[in-house]
Amino acid sequence: MFSKACEYAIKAMVFIQYKSQQNETTNLSEIAEAIDSPAAFTAKILQQLRKSDLLESIMGVKGGFRILENKQISLKEIIITIDGNGIFSHCVLGLKACSAANPCPMHHKYAIVRQEMERIMQKTFLVDLANQLILKKISLK
Amino acid sequence: MFSKACEYAIKAMVFIQYKSQQNETTNLSEIAEAIDSPAAFTAKILQQLRKSDLLESIMGVKGGFRILENKQISLKEIIITIDGNGIFSHCVLGLKACSAANPCPMHHKYAIVRQEMERIMQKTFLVDLANQLILKKISLK
DNA sequence: TTAAAATCGGATAATTTTGTCCGATTTTTT
DNA sequence: AAAAAATCGGACAAAATTATCCGATTTTAA
């Protein structure tokens, strides 16, 4: 479904959101530990997210990552940053020319799934998921 | 979503079904041409499908591939043969321990998408798609 | 001012996926 | 019987994704 990079990105962002809500910045090793991901690879992903302005980084001792309080970040934004918008737009069968006017065999049937996926990712925000974490209702490992 | 191999598999199977309904066997180069795929790679995929008994091959001159008349093959069978059942069962975030009892942040929200996907793939059969091809309602390229 | 702890960025390595090549075998046709 | 047209299977190659390493820079604290 999503690339590994994207899975890590979502999990990392949920964790950073969780920490940020408690007014704490968190650093790479803490994040990697929390989401059980390879640290160096996770660092690359965090850079991408930072460049897309989805999070803030602080360099130096006591540095780390955080999400600004006023930010409302949807999963869709993260997915598009890391994996591009292919999952929301590309043909299920990978046909470049596929469209409503020139549909592939699956086009119409699959439209519902794609639409529902987009809807869910668009209206699920990091805050929602971080709150679940606080309630210990969910796991990131 | 699906691997390239799986995309090729579905398209190839639709085309072979289409030909088989007209009582024709089709061969590798014809298939690859019809679905615009690399022939040698497609050959590997057809072998997998044959070993899973989703199609029949005939060796030698006038050989090729065909699907037996009595077979009702769903897309789900093809997907599971090539990509495994991960897309229908694995956690969206790639968590091994994720389940209804120990859910990841996305678990409950995503359940609907996964269920709908499985439902569609299970009840879409090659015959349905091949019939669309006959009517020239759809494209495989 | 120096050491330590952190991000940053570039290079490289490992793994997986995608794709190619070729010799062997099978079957049909001449 | 020989040639041709096809699948079969194994080895190999290329590309993409995932993962690691390390030196440079920034910031804090001793």
Side-chain angles (χ1 to χ4, degrees):
Chain A
M1 171 70 42
F2 303 132
S3 68
K4 226 122 221 295
C6 191
E7 291 175 3
Y8 294 152
I10 294 172
K11 288 191 275 185
M13 288 295 277
V14 171
F15 181 71
I16 296 166
Q17 174 74 41
Y18 162 75
K19 283 295 200 177
S20 297
Q21 284 179 210
Q22 309 183 348
N23 250 45
E24 293 176 31
T25 71
T26 177
N27 65 32
L28 178 61
S29 61
E30 198 175 18
I31 295 167
E33 202 281 322
I35 71 173
D36 201 22
S37 68
F41 188 50
T42 306
K44 300 296 185 197
I45 297 162
L46 294 174
Q47 289 311 308
Q48 282 186 263
L49 294 165
R50 179 181 59 82
K51 281 168 189 161
S52 295
D53 224 37
L54 295 188
L55 57 74
E56 240 196 3
S57 69
I58 302 108
M59 286 187 85
V61 178
K62 296 268 177 183
F65 300 88
R66 72 175 165 215
I67 293 170
L68 292 185
E69 228 178 312
N70 54 357
K71 279 255 177 196
Q72 263 291 58
I73 301 174
S74 71
L75 291 197
K76 188 181 173 189
E77 292 176 78
I78 298 170
I79 293 162
I80 287 178
T81 297
I82 305 297
D83 279 354
N85 71 344
I87 199 134
F88 302 120
S89 63
H90 287 179
C91 169
V92 209
L93 301 186
L95 302 173
K96 279 168 197 154
C98 176
S99 67
N102 183 40
C104 81
M106 285 305 290
H107 188 87
H108 297 302
K109 295 201 174 203
Y110 188 69
I112 306 155
V113 173
R114 178 154 53 211
Q115 213 174 321
E116 179 63 10
M117 172 116 66
E118 182 158 13
R119 200 182 65 81
I120 284 175
M121 299 305 169
Q122 189 148 35
K123 52 175 254 187
T124 300
F125 295 95
L126 290 180
V127 193
D128 310 331
L129 303 178
N131 286 339
Q132 288 186 58
L133 250 199
I134 290 168
L135 298 171
K136 313 231 169 171
K137 287 205 163 173
I138 56 171
S139 153
L140 286 176
K141 291 219 191 190
Chain B
M1 173 69 43
F2 304 132
S3 68
K4 225 121 223 295
C6 191
E7 290 174 4
Y8 294 151
I10 294 173
K11 288 190 276 185
M13 288 295 278
V14 172
F15 181 72
I16 296 166
Q17 174 72 43
Y18 162 75
K19 284 293 200 177
S20 298
Q21 283 179 211
Q22 307 183 350
N23 252 44
E24 293 177 30
T25 73
T26 176
N27 66 31
L28 179 61
S29 61
E30 198 176 18
I31 295 167
E33 202 280 322
I35 71 174
D36 200 22
S37 69
F41 188 49
T42 306
K44 301 295 184 195
I45 296 162
L46 294 175
Q47 289 312 308
Q48 281 185 264
L49 293 165
R50 178 181 59 82
K51 282 168 189 161
S52 295
D53 223 38
L54 295 187
L55 56 74
E56 238 196 5
S57 70
I58 302 108
M59 286 188 86
V61 177
K62 295 268 178 184
F65 300 88
R66 73 176 165 214
I67 293 169
L68 292 185
E69 227 178 315
N70 55 358
K71 279 256 175 197
Q72 264 290 55
I73 300 174
S74 70
L75 292 198
K76 188 180 174 189
E77 293 176 78
I78 299 171
I79 293 162
I80 286 179
T81 297
I82 305 298
D83 279 355
N85 71 343
I87 199 134
F88 302 121
S89 64
H90 287 179
C91 170
V92 208
L93 301 185
L95 303 173
K96 279 167 198 153
C98 177
S99 68
N102 181 41
C104 80
M106 285 304 291
H107 189 87
H108 296 304
K109 295 202 175 203
Y110 188 69
I112 307 154
V113 173
R114 177 154 53 208
Q115 213 173 321
E116 178 64 11
M117 171 116 67
E118 183 157 10
R119 199 182 65 83
I120 285 175
M121 300 305 169
Q122 190 148 33
K123 53 176 255 189
T124 300
F125 294 94
L126 289 180
V127 192
D128 309 332
L129 303 179
N131 286 338
Q132 288 187 58
L133 251 197
I134 289 169
L135 298 171
K136 311 229 174 178
K137 286 206 163 175
I138 55 171
S139 156
L140 285 177
K141 292 218 190 189

